[in-house]
Amino acid sequence: MKTGKLSEAQFEIIQAAQPTPIDPTETAAGSTVVGLLSSLDRKVLDEVMIEHRFGPGEIVVHEGHYGDIAYLIWSGRVAVVQGDFSRPASVNYRGPGEVVGEMSIIDNKPRSASIVALDDVRLLGIHRHDFFELLQIDPNFGTNMMEILSRRLRAAEEMSRVNTAIGRELSAEVEELQSENEALRQMEQRRQELSELVVHDLRNPLGNLFSALNMLELVLPEDVLEENRELLEIARLSHLRMQDLVDSLLDIAQFEAGRPLGERKPTNIATLMTEVMQLNAFALAKREMTLTEQFPEDLPTVLADPNQIRRVITNLVDNAIKYSPKRGPLTVTAVRQNNMVEVSVIDEGPGVAPEERERIFDRFAQVETGGIRPRGFGLGLSYCKLAVEAHNGRIWVETGPNDVGSRFVFTLPVVV
């Protein structure tokens, strides 16, 4: 009796399924039943066993249906499937000599799984009433069958006990991991709150320092002011770098939290670069470096927060000055590339090794470059990456022209 056939897609899923481990008691029971049947009189077997044939993909029995027949696999293979054929919960394969479906004729319960032919299979079926007649005809057959069922019940009970113990252990481990994860989450939250608190508290003394420097320039006599101009400039630049560090810490926390920052508007990159170079004029002069700026007159504006992008350029220029040789060249360019503006800062320093070019943008990463010991807290490039990506741009570092130095590049979208 044919009970349906799988669709091609369902059959492919069943064929490709990774079979779940077969309960050894299932296979052992099947083999034992075969042994018992073979011990019976052949004439009796011929009377009670009926041959059935199924083609690939044909359903022998459906899960959940009541059945009054068990099958001995004579040739070919079948799949024992639990759950929907399109998304089975488990799949086991059975071959010649094994018995399938015998429990449903014994306990008269709905079938616990479907059976599907994987190949052209021959099955020898025995109905419930014939099976119970065998129990009456041959007392030894009945006794041996009872022993088989008893062993299966004991094995099932032991497996249930082991699974329960394993489940308890897993539950305890999951609970412990959840507690550890919660503790780590709270620790990270406290660390973040402490970091923001410290950074906020730094703003007041920085503001006082800025006010004091401005006051000195107002009250010092002109000759004293000129004699100490370099010291005041160093103090002013140090204040600006400290302020930049504080702002970067706060902004990084905001970026990582996914909160938008600032107002984006049409921004001229050349104007930002002029402002950055004015701030770095003292550092460039002190290292006797030459600066080349290449900005085409028709360079389009970008959609950006000017303060954030100014800080990105400042960090890249500051890095280039830091790692360039004295009297070395520094080149800053900007060109349009399709719907993006590409800005690059090029130096002739020791460069960045290929294996470090991704890590250098990580937070607190410090990379030894060309034997030069890294300085700072490793926040500048991390800020640059977060800020540029928040603007839907990209940032990377590559080897400079003629394989000398570094070329830091970032892109920003053009105003359309």
Side-chain angles (χ1 to χ4, degrees), residues 23-248:
D23 179 357
T25 60
E26 295 280 348
T27 305
S31 300
T32 310
V33 172
V34 173
L36 287 178
L37 291 173
S38 64
S39 68
L40 295 174
D41 183 82
R42 180 61 182 267
K43 184 178 179 181
V44 173
L45 281 179
D46 288 341
E47 291 177 354
V48 298
M49 304 293 284
I50 304 172
E51 182 176 339
H52 299 269
R53 293 175 181 265
F54 294 87
E58 289 186 331
I59 302 170
V60 180
V61 298
H62 276 279
E63 179 180 352
H65 289 190
Y66 282 86
D68 63 351
I69 186 171
Y71 297 97
L72 167 65
I73 303 173
W74 185 259
S75 65
R77 298 174 307 142
V78 300
V80 180
V81 183
Q82 288 185 314
D84 187 85
F85 293 124
S86 299
R87 301 182 66 179
S90 70
V91 178
N92 287 316
Y93 298 161
R94 301 290 175 83
E98 296 187 76
V99 175
V100 290
E102 73 276 12
M103 287 307 295
S104 64
I105 69 169
I106 294 172
D107 57 18
N108 196 27
K109 296 286 182 64
R111 297 195 184 270
S112 60
S114 301
I115 299 173
V116 178
L118 292 173
D119 315 304
D120 287 317
V121 296
R122 292 176 62 195
L123 305 176
L124 298 179
I126 180 169
H127 285 270
R128 179 183 292 111
H129 64 84
D130 293 325
F131 180 79
F132 283 107
E133 281 188 10
L134 284 177
L135 296 179
Q136 296 175 9
I137 293 172
D138 191 329
N140 289 331
F141 181 82
T143 301
N144 291 333
M145 179 58 69
M146 291 299 295
E147 289 179 359
I148 291 171
L149 295 176
S150 177
R151 286 200 300 270
R152 287 186 63 172
L153 288 172
R154 284 197 298 269
E157 183 180 358
E158 177 63 19
M159 184 172 291
S160 175
R161 187 188 66 78
V162 170
N163 287 340
T164 300
I166 292 173
R168 287 173 181 167
E169 291 177 4
L170 289 174
S171 295
E173 291 178 6
V174 168
E175 186 175 347
E176 184 178 350
L177 285 173
Q178 287 175 339
S179 298
E180 290 178 0
N181 285 338
E182 178 61 22
L184 288 173
R185 188 192 66 78
Q186 292 181 2
M187 187 182 300
E188 173 62 20
Q189 183 177 346
R190 292 192 189 99
R191 183 201 64 78
Q192 185 66 33
E193 290 171 353
L194 178 61
S195 175
E196 292 183 3
L197 182 63
V198 170
V199 171
H200 276 293
D201 284 350
L202 282 174
R203 288 194 164 200
N204 284 335
L206 280 174
N208 294 337
L209 177 60
F210 180 69
S211 299
L213 288 172
N214 287 336
M215 186 61 68
L216 283 175
E217 292 196 11
L218 289 174
V219 302
L220 285 177
E222 191 66 31
D223 56 336
V224 176
L225 191 60
E226 286 303 318
E227 288 177 3
N228 295 278
R229 177 65 64 184
E230 184 173 341
L231 289 175
L232 288 171
E233 187 66 17
I234 291 172
R236 188 179 68 84
L237 290 174
S238 297
H239 162 262
L240 289 174
R241 285 195 171 86
M242 190 65 181
Q243 185 66 54
D244 182 71
L245 175 61
V246 169
D247 291 340
S248 294

Side-chain angles (χ1 to χ4, degrees), residues 330-397:
L330 176 62
T331 304
V332 182
T333 69
V335 295
R336 178 168 187 164
Q337 297 284 3
N338 298 321
N339 62 338
M340 307 291 280
V341 167
E342 183 181 281
V343 182
S344 62
V345 178
I346 307 167
D347 63 63
E348 291 192 359
V352 181
E355 64 272 15
E356 300 286 0
R357 290 176 186 171
E358 289 293 331
R359 193 174 76 85
I360 200 171
F361 292 100
D362 292 344
R363 191 173 180 181
F364 300 119
Q366 291 186 322
V367 177
E368 188 171 300
T369 309
I372 298 177
R373 185 177 178 180
R375 293 180 287 171
F377 295 96
L379 288 172
L381 292 179
S382 175
Y383 172 83
C384 292
K385 183 174 188 294
L386 290 170
V388 169
E389 290 179 351
H391 283 76
N392 299 317
R394 193 167 69 91
I395 187 169
W396 68 94
V397 60

